[in-house]
């Protein structure tokens, strides 16, 4: 049976007190709605419909690359009315699964359990057992346990309010029947809305089998209305991802201080210290050790590599046995080959650092291709940008770059060359030998160190320097 998923996302989300629409609020770095779309997408052959509200163009724009159908609900007249907006393009023989755009942790497995119960004459809802069901619609069952109605909190009697089985809002129904029921909804209730939940009693009247599948946990069906709930779910998400990694054998020093925001795969005996953020696709080889405060985004790291604290790596390939940081910044397009070392306050961008090569201190390497066994001295800078263009630097195998060298690109340095400290090299450097660019050192033995100037001496010195004695004119800074 073909499946269409309708995601309700027209709600305003006033309680967020934010200019960003509710379903665009980020959870683990991705919009709430994106989480729901991803879960829905993992269901086989599902067409996706998102019901959005007026002013929701920002929502559409945020998902421009996503293959979803958009249905506008210009005025919010209730969940039943919302689903109706998407029904136009859905054929009668399909099953319709309704999800909420603000319930981000719903799992595909749970949805599959619902789908397993789908039938031409069945309606399936997802319920949840709640210690405190306040605010939820209550799932009412007869003595045989069959669901006969869902009543909203605001319309419920005292006896109905005592029921602890809440409606999550997730529902699965055959499209043809659902369309008919939605067409028959009335808004004669306390909120004057067309309730999706009222289709339950219409289904019962038509002799349909109505089932409620109980969700395995409360967290996965929790909705987000304000920033407090957003943080609660963020913590829950964090806990789930850390749990998965630990069960896969990763040592996590403090699961409450690990943020997995993307897809992580890890080898054996990987160690993650505190406050690590893993984003995008991260692949960690055997025995990789990630230090405190490290951020990894779209990074692959080979076996036995150590990333020391407070390093930020993005879009990089790091081979085995490398050492990175502390305080290193590795930017997109960078590749570290086996055994390379990148030390503190070193920035690499779009650079290959060859096997066993080292850049250990205070260095910028951009658009550079560096061979094996190269030593890049402290304070080396590839001057790769002329203000308009980026230029490459190529450094051959076994080169020794002395400290404080400026390598003005485009430039090539031949294998085995040594560049003297402090050199500014602008022309090709031949292989081997020493290349030095330096003015000759001289010493002035008669030199007298500065003495405190009296006012007269001060005025004379200012005049000699071409500076008006009253000081520079023009606007005062900070004015
Ligand atoms: C709804 C259910 C209730 C359930 C609860 C779970 C109904 C009538 N009630 O109540 O049984 O326990 O969710 O959280 O269905 N939306 C639209 N357009 C609308 C109205 C709502 O798109 O016109 C969307 C909202 O953005 C939200 C979802 O539907 O994502 C639920 O709406 P909300 O107003 O929160 O429904 P509740 O009153 O909480
Ligand atoms: Mg709600």
């Amino acid at each position: 049976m073909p499946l269409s998923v309708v995601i309700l996302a027209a709600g305003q989300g006033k309680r967020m007190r934010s200019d960003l629409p509710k379903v665009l609020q980020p959870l683990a770095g991705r919009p709430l709605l994106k989480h729901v779309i991803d879960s829905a997408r993992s269901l086989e052959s599902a067409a996706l419909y998102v019901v959005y509200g007026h002013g929701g163009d920002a929502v559409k724009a945020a998902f421009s690359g996503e293959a979803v159908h958009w249905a506008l609900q210009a005025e919010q007249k209730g969940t039943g009315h919302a689903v109706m907006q998407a029904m136009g393009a859905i054929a009668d023989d399909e099953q319709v699964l309704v999800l909420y755009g603000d319930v981000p942790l719903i799992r595909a497995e749970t949805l599959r359990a619902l789908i397993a119960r789908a039938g031409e004459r069945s309606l399936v809802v997802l319920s949840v057992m709640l210690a405190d069901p306040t605010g939820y619609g209550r799932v009412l069952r007869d003595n045989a346990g069959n669901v006969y109605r869902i009543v909203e909190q605001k319309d419920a009697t005292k006896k109905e309010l005592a029921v602890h089985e809440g409606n999550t809002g997730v529902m699965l129904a055959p499209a043809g029947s659902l369309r008919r029921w939605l067409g028959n909804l009335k808004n004669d209730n306390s909120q004057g809305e067309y309730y999706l939940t009222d289709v339950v009693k219409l289904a019962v009247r038509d002799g349909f089998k109505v089932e409620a599948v109980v969700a395995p946990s409360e967290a996965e069906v929790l909705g987000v209305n304000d920033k407090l709930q957003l943080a609660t779910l963020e913590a829950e998400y964090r806990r789930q991802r850390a749990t998965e990694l630990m069960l896969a054998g990763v040592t996590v020093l403090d699961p409450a201080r690990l943020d997995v925001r993307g897809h992580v795969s890890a080898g054996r005996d990987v160690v993650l210290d505190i406050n690590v953020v893993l984003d995008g696709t991260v692949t960690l080889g055997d025995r990789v050790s990630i230090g405190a405060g490290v951020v990894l985004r779209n990074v692959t790291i080979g076996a036995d590599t150590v990333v020391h604290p407070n390093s930020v790596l993005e879009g990089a390939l790091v081979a085995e046995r490398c050492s990175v940081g502390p305080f290193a910044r590795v930017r997109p397009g960078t590749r570290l080959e086996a055994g390379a070392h990148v030390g503190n306050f070193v920035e690499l961008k779009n650079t290959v650092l060859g096997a066993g090569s080292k850049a250990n201190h205070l260095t910028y390497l951009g658009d550079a291709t560096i061979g094996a066994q190269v030593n890049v001295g402290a304070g080396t800078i590839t001057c790769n940008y002329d203000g308009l263009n980026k230029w490459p630097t190529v450094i051959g195998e076994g080169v020794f770059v002395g400290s404080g060298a400026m390598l003005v690109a485009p430039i090539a340095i031949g294998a085995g060359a040594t560049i003297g400290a402090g050199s500014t090299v602008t022309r090709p450097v031949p292989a081997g030998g020493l290349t030095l660019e330096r003015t000759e050192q001289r010493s002035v033995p008669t030199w007298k160190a500065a003495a405190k100037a009296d006012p007269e001496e001060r005025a004379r010195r200012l005049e000699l320097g071409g500076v008006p004695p009253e000081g520079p004119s023009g606007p005062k800074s900070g004015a």
Side-chain angles (χ1 to χ4, degrees):
M1 237 173 311
L3 178 70
S4 276
V5 180
V6 176
I7 302 172
L8 303 188
Q12 282 188 330
K14 268 192 209 134
R15 280 174 282 168
M16 282 289 170
R17 297 177 181 277
S18 166
D19 293 334
L20 196 64
K22 175 157 87 172
V23 292
L24 293 188
Q25 299 284 335
L27 178 89
R30 277 177 296 153
L32 292 173
L33 179 56
K34 175 71 176 148
H35 289 262
V36 183
I37 288 176
D38 287 349
S39 288
R41 230 189 257 300
S42 65
L43 304 170
E44 294 69 28
S45 72
L48 298 191
Y49 296 81
V50 177
V51 180
Y52 72 105
H54 54 240
D57 288 343
V59 178
K60 264 173 97 169
F63 290 92
S64 55
E66 200 88 47
V68 298
H69 306 281
W70 295 94
L72 175 67
Q73 187 195 25
E75 222 185 311
Q76 282 167 52
K77 298 180 180 173
T79 49
H81 179 259
V83 173
M84 194 61 160
Q85 308 314 304
M87 292 302 293
I90 301 175
D92 278 352
D93 66 342
E94 294 189 38
Q95 287 283 329
V96 176
L97 176 65
V98 178
L99 303 177
Y100 287 176
D102 56 2
V103 178
L105 299 189
I106 190 81
R107 289 176 318 136
E109 276 160 272
T110 303
L111 299 177
R112 284 201 191 95
L114 242 69
I115 291 165
R117 289 166 183 273
E120 271 172 49
R121 294 188 62 77
S122 298
L123 174 71
V124 194
V125 298
L126 183 67
S127 69
V128 59
M129 298 310 295
L130 298 157
D132 176 12
T134 308
Y136 282 79
R138 306 298 204 280
V139 176
L140 307 180
R141 296 178 187 255
D142 62 20
N143 291 335
N146 298 313
V147 177
Y148 64 92
R149 196 156 80 91
I150 293 176
V151 62
E152 291 306 297
Q153 162 99 20
K154 288 179 180 153
D155 304 298
T157 64
K158 222 173 168 184
K159 206 177 148 203
E160 289 164 343
L161 287 177
V163 170
H164 284 254
E165 185 172 7
N167 171 38
T168 65
V170 176
M171 182 183 278
L172 181 69
S177 306
L178 181 61
R179 193 190 322 279
R180 193 173 65 247
W181 299 327
L182 290 172
N184 288 329
L185 289 181
K186 300 205 168 55
N187 63 350
D188 55 351
N189 49 54
S190 65
Q191 302 186 79
E193 287 185 4
Y194 296 95
Y195 291 162
L196 175 63
T197 43
D198 281 350
V199 305
V200 169
K201 62 183 181 220
L202 299 179
V204 170
R205 193 190 296 166
D206 284 355
F208 274 55
K209 184 170 153 199
V210 182
E211 280 188 276
V213 172
V214 182
S217 79
E218 197 179 327
E220 79 169 280
V221 298
L222 279 180
V224 180
N225 295 303
D226 56 30
K227 294 287 171 83
L228 188 63
Q229 289 167 337
L230 189 60
T232 304
L233 285 197
E234 180 87 32
E236 171 62 23
Y237 185 90
R238 191 156 55 223
R239 197 188 60 75
Q240 288 178 6
R241 298 290 84 77
T243 301
E244 283 168 7
L245 283 182
M246 290 184 292
L247 293 178
V250 174
T251 300
V252 176
L253 266 74
D254 182 358
R257 286 183 288 172
L258 169 66
D259 279 77
V260 177
R261 297 177 184 166
H263 302 283
V264 178
S265 56
R268 294 180 78 81
D269 298 303
V270 167
V271 178
L272 303 178
D273 208 331
I274 59 164
N275 295 335
V276 167
V277 178
L278 306 177
D279 203 352
T281 303
V282 174
T283 306
L284 306 174
D286 293 343
R287 297 171 301 280
V288 162
S289 166
I290 306 295
V294 167
V295 177
L296 303 178
R297 182 173 297 121
N298 298 320
V299 170
T300 296
I301 298 181
D304 298 300
T305 283
V306 179
V307 181
H308 296 282
N310 296 312
S311 296
V312 178
L313 287 75
E314 179 174 3
L317 272 174
V318 179
E320 59 277 11
R321 298 185 316 280
C322 290
S323 171
V324 179
F327 299 99
R329 179 164 184 219
V330 178
R331 293 168 55 197
T334 294
R335 195 174 85 226
L336 306 188
E337 294 182 342
H341 285 210
V342 173
N344 38 216
F345 310 110
V346 172
E347 175 180 351
L348 280 79
K349 187 218 69 172
N350 191 31
T351 283
V352 177
L353 189 59
S357 291
K358 292 174 182 166
N360 273 334
H361 329 270
L362 300 160
T363 285
Y364 173 65
L365 300 172
D367 305 307
T369 306
I370 300 168
Q373 305 300 331
V374 168
N375 187 84
V376 179
T380 295
I381 290 174
T382 53
C383 310
N384 62 329
Y385 187 49
D386 61 13
L388 286 175
N389 310 286
K390 298 280 170 66
W391 298 104
T393 297
V394 178
I395 302 179
E397 200 177 313
V399 165
F400 182 95
V401 181
S403 296
M406 300 294 124
L407 311 177
V408 181
I411 194 157
I413 298 167
T418 294
I419 293 180
S423 297
T424 296
V425 291
T426 53
R427 280 175 286 145
V429 174
L434 171 69
T435 295
L436 195 60
E437 188 278 340
R438 233 182 241 171
T439 51
E440 211 173 310
Q441 179 167 328
R442 57 191 191 113
S443 301
V444 182
T446 55
W447 170 253
K448 293 251 177 334
K452 189 81 182 161
D454 62 28
E456 229 170 86
E457 167 71 1
R458 184 179 159 75
R460 196 180 62 81
R461 292 275 295 273
L462 283 170
E463 224 163 286
L464 275 175
V467 181
E470 60 276 17
S473 56
K476 280 181 187 146
S477 66

